[in-house]
Amino acid sequence: MTTAMNLPTLSNNATSLENYIHTVNNYPMLTLEEEVSLGRQLRDQGDVDAAKHLVLSHLRVVVSMARKFVGYGLPQADLIQEGNIGLMKAVKRFDPDRGVRLVSFAMHWISAEMHEYIVRNWRMVKIATTKGQRKLFFNLRSMKTSGSSLTPTEITDIAEKLGVKREEVMEMETRFSGQDLTLEPFDDDGEETYGPLAYLTDAEAEPSQILARAEHDRLSSTGLNNALASLDERSRHIVESRWLQEENPATLHELAAEYSISAERVRQIEQKAMQKMKLALHA
């Protein structure tokens, strides 16, 4: 549905954005009966034209919600585009027989897409990765009573209201107060300047270091193969399944079921095999 639907064009150009907003505000709002009818056509028949009417009639909602996030310094047009994706996801999942208007259902999806876009792009370094951090990210600035640092009382009050730890409030406050730092220096005065990038040279990228690491890796790989070869077939399989699988390593219980023995017995075999391999590696 999202790939076949043509929405009004939108760019970050001020005139284009103004024209877009004017256009979407002219799309008529749907009555409850129209919304239910179109929703059933989409759900029961996969009617893309019905989906288009549902989306177009709610584009103004996305514009309205995008205005709430202009303080983050991101292009409003981009926020609207992300919100439109959320709207289309909501329309796709909308059930008209649940007694909930599409606008109420869609607001969650629109907001989620905008939040994800903001967190992904507001800073080069991710500042909100957990659920608690996201809650702080989108509420902390509005809850501060002044532009100065939070007082201990304010920290406690915000933590209680949002259901997070005081330490998380203080950490997010610190992240907000930080500034992005360019890695390249600005060369605007004709003088030789240095940026942080000049101090990030990897000393281990020297050719001699690369060759030394390659030889070490080769010897380690050979030693590991020799150590594994010293084990019996069952012990080698257990070690490889438990420790040498990059994805989905086997559990003790899975191996126990495979060999019809107890998980404790598998653990004992594994421990004995690891000791034998250790001796082989140091031989």
Side-chain angles (χ1 to χ4, degrees), residues 37-196:
S37 177
L38 290 168
R40 288 173 178 167
Q41 291 177 47
L42 172 61
R43 183 195 62 191
D44 301 335
Q45 304 169 25
D47 190 337
V48 176
D49 192 52
K52 180 177 180 179
H53 282 294
L54 289 169
V55 170
L56 292 177
S57 64
H58 287 80
L59 289 177
R60 67 179 70 193
V61 178
V62 178
V63 172
S64 177
M65 293 182 67
R67 292 195 181 103
K68 300 178 182 179
F69 300 108
V70 294
Y72 291 96
L74 295 171
Q76 188 177 6
D78 292 347
L79 283 168
I80 293 173
Q81 293 280 34
E82 296 297 320
N84 286 345
I85 294 174
L87 172 59
M88 287 186 280
K89 288 181 178 180
V91 168
K92 184 177 181 180
R93 293 165 173 81
F94 179 56
D95 186 345
D97 293 327
R98 288 192 174 183
V100 178
R101 292 298 300 264
L102 176 57
V103 63
S104 300
F105 179 70
M107 287 178 68
H108 163 76
W109 292 93
I110 296 169
S111 179
E113 291 295 326
M114 289 184 181
H115 283 188
E116 182 64 30
Y117 171 75
I118 292 170
V119 171
R120 192 171 62 244
N121 293 279
W122 195 60
R123 289 279 180 86
M124 185 185 302
V125 178
K126 301 294 186 293
I127 72 167
T129 54
T130 68
K131 184 177 180 180
Q133 289 174 347
R134 286 172 180 256
K135 189 183 297 184
L136 282 165
F137 180 82
F138 289 105
N139 290 279
L140 184 58
R141 296 206 302 187
S142 62
M143 295 179 73
K144 291 181 64 174
T145 57
S146 66
S148 57
S149 300
L150 293 172
T151 65
T153 301
E154 289 176 323
I155 292 173
T156 301
D157 184 52
I158 292 174
E160 290 177 352
K161 288 181 179 179
L162 297 180
V164 298
K165 298 178 181 179
R166 294 183 77 260
E167 292 76 10
E168 292 179 312
V169 178
M170 291 186 289
E171 181 182 357
M172 186 57 66
E173 168 73 357
T174 301
R175 294 185 183 190
F176 268 126
S177 62
Q179 297 294 325
D180 288 336
L181 183 65
T182 178
L183 293 178
E184 294 283 7
F186 291 106
D187 187 17
D188 57 358
D189 55 5
E191 296 183 3
E192 186 177 14
T193 57
Y194 296 92

Side-chain angles (χ1 to χ4, degrees), residues 251-266:
T251 66
L252 293 175
H253 291 286
E254 289 173 340
L255 291 168
E258 181 178 345
Y259 286 106
S260 300
I261 57 179
S262 67
E264 175 59 23
R265 178 57 181 152
V266 174

